[in-house]
Amino acid sequence: MSFTRLLKVSVAAVMTLALASCGGGGGGGGGAPQLTNMGGALQGRALALTNSVTSFAGTAGSADGAAGRARFSLPSDVACDGTNLYVVDTGNSVVRKVVLATGATSTVAGLAGVTGSADGAGAAARFNYPTGIAMSSDNSTLYVSDTGNNTIRSIDVATGAVTTLAGTAGSVGSANGTGGAARFSSPCGVATDGTNLYVADSLNHRIRKIVLASAAVTTLAGSGVQDFADGTGAAASFNSPRGIATDGTSLYLADQGNSAVRRIVIATGVVSTLVQPAAGIESPAGIATDGTNLYVADTEMNNLRKVVIATHAVSTLAGDVAGAPGSNNASGGAARFSTPGGLAFNGGALYVADAGNDLLRKVTVATGDSSTVAGVVGSADGVGVAAAFTSPYDLTTDGRNVYVADSNNHTIRQISIATGAVTTLAGTADRPGSVDATGAAASFRFPSGITTDGTSIFVSDTGNNTIRKIVIATGAVSTLAGTAGVTGAADGSGSAASFHSPNGITTDGTNLYVADSGNNSVRKIVIATGAVTTVVAPSAGLSSPYGITTDGATLYITDSGNDRICKLVLATSVFSPLTVSGVAFNFPSGITTDGVSLFVTDAANGSVSRIAIATGVSGAVLTGLRNPNGISTDGTTLYVADAHDNTVIRVR
């Protein structure tokens, strides 16, 4: 996946709205300026900002802090050293630490809401949707499967220093080799016996072994064919293996695609099946062992299962046997979970990454009693700060409402400018998918770019690699271009086209323009036909473009990987960097314009800058934010989505 952020988008029907009709305030009278719906914003008057900042909607929500104040976004796996719990906070692309005694939460490495592949210490490091984590036998090192980068990373616990142990970011494959010469395809679970690291190489359908002393990577088991067979080494086969655990002699594997639990003898590579596909575990994800029993998180059935290793007997430890989701703490079958993932066993308790609830939970094995270790549930509708978002990455406005791509809730939200009331326009929180339907029946997967022409909303559905359309009046969702689950760079019409992690999106009223981040390109979509062409090719030198906006004549693009702003003159197709003075960008992300100035969110610097289009002179509008991404204007006010704090703020 890639997704990161931003962008203003617009699919403007280039409709001209009188200022008085936009809810943006302003004087009436014959001389009042007219505002044009363009680029996902209202343009036509230079913003007269005093830089007054207020909270508009949502409360901080990838936040560190005490147990009940900490927030997570799709925590996928956990590891424990007996004192602390370490969490891959997948939706935020960071690794977090939770003190077991108090629930106090802090960030070990990465910057919430910003993806990348850089090694470095603490907040200087970058991850791309990591999903697996393991602790070394001496508790000095964490090992992380950096799934979106197809790499295995290590973190020095004492310093937070992150290095890449094996694989190369952006390179997919199955080759064995040492360090960066090895290749993986969506690695998930990791486990270590102190000498070697074992990786569930999910889309290669293999189990890989990494010698920690040398970083040499080999294949322990699996043919590479998506199938189900016991056997030795390459004679065995798996289907999208996910969680992995070890007792030092054997590996235990959640063979998710086969709905099975497998055992691999480390010394010989012999694979056998402990829980058959028909035994009632539908979608095993996390797995842990106490040496006598296995504990398995079933993401489909929203419960935790216990497997006696000696007899293979399966029972339900906690959660509803019928699979009903929820978040309440209780004993045994009365407890509820939502898409539970990784597990860690310590001191008679299981620690659970309850991904669908964005919580870390604890289940006492002897009693089945559950409790919450850290986190709060965050997808509620409401008014102003009573509402909750999870990593809102982009927003757009038609002057009456602000529309938000609430990425890690997989929904599109609507905020009334007049009242601050937040409602969900399309999708259902914590139910990712690609279904075209109306309102809550539709589904998205990490939407991260959004724009509007006042009649429809257009969405970069990043996790699905598609561009979606929502009719505002009805909430009807359809797919305009791309095919869900297909990654590529092909031009074509509708489903024949393909994208790679599309992010920012904007419009000139006739066409959509998409920052196709994974392809380092800009794509054009004719709204009427869905025909897709490439207007800025990778050879132009873009690196992870995320934000894009237009004033109708020129596209402005945040060239995030190169820390600069670029422009494309639509009439001539001339592409060039924008000369800017007065600011040094560090991963610029969102961008919008009032027609006179550009307003740019700088994710890593936590700032918003204004750039005069005519001169390139810039200055700070706002500093001190955590991870600002999407930005838009209604002609009077700037709206900024802060993905780290799960808030939308207003700048006047």
Side-chain angles (χ1 to χ4, degrees):
M1 307 181 106
S2 151
F3 39 133
T4 7
R5 354 296 51 202
L6 332 50
L7 273 324
K8 205 83 322 23
V9 284
S10 121
V11 122
V14 191
M15 63 188 273
T16 299
L17 300 177
L19 177 61
S21 73
C22 292
Q34 300 291 301
L35 299 182
T36 299
N37 193 325
M38 174 72 67
L42 300 187
Q43 301 178 19
R45 180 181 60 190
L47 293 184
L49 300 175
T50 64
N51 298 357
S52 170
V53 180
T54 56
S55 295
F56 183 44
T59 52
S62 59
D64 293 337
R69 296 179 60 85
R71 291 188 180 237
F72 303 88
S73 177
L74 294 177
S76 292
D77 200 9
V78 289
C80 188
D81 63 6
T83 303
N84 304 297
L85 199 62
Y86 295 91
V87 186
V88 279
D89 192 4
T90 303
N92 284 318
S93 290
V94 294
V95 176
R96 316 282 289 281
K97 180 176 86 170
V98 181
V99 179
L100 291 177
T102 64
T105 301
S106 57
T107 299
V108 175
L111 182 64
V114 178
T115 60
S117 59
D119 290 339
R126 296 289 182 269
F127 300 89
N128 192 356
Y129 303 99
T131 61
I133 191 168
M135 173 65 77
S136 66
S137 56
D138 63 359
N139 295 333
S140 67
T141 306
L142 291 166
Y143 300 103
V144 176
S145 59
D146 195 1
T147 307
N149 281 322
N150 297 298
T151 57
I152 307 301
R153 316 287 290 280
S154 68
I155 306 174
D156 184 292
V157 172
T159 65
V162 179
T163 56
T164 300
L165 178 65
T168 296
S171 297
V172 181
S174 59
N176 291 322
T178 299
R183 294 291 181 267
F184 301 87
S185 182
S186 294
C188 287
V190 287
T192 182
D193 59 9
T195 302
N196 304 302
L197 188 69
Y198 302 95
V199 182
D201 195 5
S202 185
L203 294 188
N204 278 322
H205 314 291
R206 291 181 166 114
I207 306 305
R208 313 291 290 281
K209 181 176 92 169
I210 306 175
V211 180
L212 292 175
S214 64
V217 180
T218 56
T219 299
L220 178 65
S223 63
V225 176
Q226 183 177 336
D227 205 347
F228 177 74
D230 289 338
T232 301
S237 55
F238 308 96
N239 184 355
S240 303
R242 183 167 167 185
I244 191 169
T246 184
D247 59 10
T249 301
S250 297
L251 297 174
Y252 300 97
L253 183 70
D255 190 4
Q256 189 168 49
N258 282 321
S259 301
V261 177
R262 318 288 291 278
R263 174 164 50 192
I264 307 170
V265 179
I266 293 173
T268 63
V270 172
V271 179
S272 59
T273 301
L274 297 184
V275 179
Q276 296 288 337
I281 299 180
E282 296 295 329
S283 184
I287 191 168
T289 183
D290 60 10
T292 302
N293 306 298
L294 298 176
Y295 303 96
V296 181
D298 190 337
T299 62
E300 180 72 21
M301 298 303 292
N302 298 303
N303 57 27
L304 307 183
R305 312 299 290 278
K306 174 182 170 182
V307 181
V308 180
I309 295 174
T311 65
H312 304 183
V314 179
S315 59
T316 301
L317 175 66
D320 184 31
V321 294
S327 60
N328 59 296
N329 291 312
S331 181
R336 294 291 181 268
F337 302 87
S338 178
T339 320
L343 301 175
F345 181 83
N346 183 74
L350 282 174
Y351 294 93
V352 185
D354 192 5
N357 286 318
D358 295 324
L359 300 175
L360 300 180
R361 311 279 292 280
K362 174 183 175 181
V363 177
T364 302
V365 170
T367 63
D369 291 340
S370 62
S371 57
T372 298
V373 177
V376 290
V377 179
S379 61
D381 291 339
V383 176
V385 296
F389 303 88
T390 304
S391 296
Y393 281 130
D394 199 14
L395 46 72
T396 187
T397 183
D398 58 9
R400 298 177 179 85
N401 300 296
V402 173
Y403 303 96
V404 181
D406 194 5
S407 186
N408 291 342
N409 278 323
H410 312 288
T411 55
I412 305 302
R413 314 288 289 280
Q414 175 179 297
I415 311 172
S416 168
I417 291 176
T419 67
V422 180
T423 55
T424 301
L425 179 64
T428 296
D430 298 321
R431 194 191 67 193
S434 59
V435 175
D436 287 337
T438 298
S443 56
F444 302 85
R445 190 177 300 275
F446 300 106
S448 61
I450 188 170
T451 192
T452 184
D453 60 7
T455 301
S456 297
I457 292 168
F458 299 88
V459 179
S460 288
D461 195 3
T462 306
N464 283 321
N465 293 307
T466 56
I467 307 302
R468 314 286 291 279
K469 174 184 173 181
I470 307 172
V471 179
I472 294 174
T474 64
V477 179
S478 57
T479 300
L480 181 63
T483 298
V486 175
T487 301
D491 289 337
S493 291
S495 60
S498 56
F499 303 86
H500 185 185
S501 301
N503 279 280
I505 186 171
T506 193
T507 189
D508 60 8
T510 302
N511 307 302
L512 296 173
Y513 298 93
V514 180
D516 196 2
S517 299
N519 283 320
N520 296 315
S521 63
V522 175
R523 316 289 292 281
K524 172 180 142 182
I525 306 172
V526 180
I527 296 172
T529 65
V532 179
T533 55
T534 300
V535 294
V536 180
S539 59
L542 286 174
S543 176
S544 299
Y546 285 123
I548 191 168
T549 192
T550 185
D551 58 9
T554 303
L555 295 179
Y556 299 96
I557 305 145
T558 57
D559 188 7
S560 303
N562 288 318
D563 297 326
R564 65 182 184 176
I565 310 300
C566 293
K567 66 178 182 178
L568 177 74
V569 179
L570 292 173
T572 63
S573 298
V574 172
F575 174 82
S576 62
L578 187 68
T579 300
V580 177
S581 62
V583 64
F585 291 112
N586 186 2
F587 206 87
S589 45
I591 188 168
T592 193
T593 181
D594 59 8
V596 177
S597 298
L598 300 173
F599 297 89
V600 180
T601 58
D602 193 327
N605 281 329
S607 63
V608 178
S609 298
R610 182 203 297 252
I611 303 170
I613 294 174
T615 65
V617 174
S618 67
V621 172
L622 182 61
T623 60
L625 301 178
R626 302 291 289 278
N627 183 17
N629 286 284
I631 187 168
S632 186
T633 180
D634 61 7
T636 301
T637 301
L638 284 175
Y639 299 93
V640 181
D642 191 326
H644 183 284
D645 285 342
N646 293 322
T647 57
V648 176
I649 62 175
R650 187 161 42 190
V651 185
R652 290 175 165 151

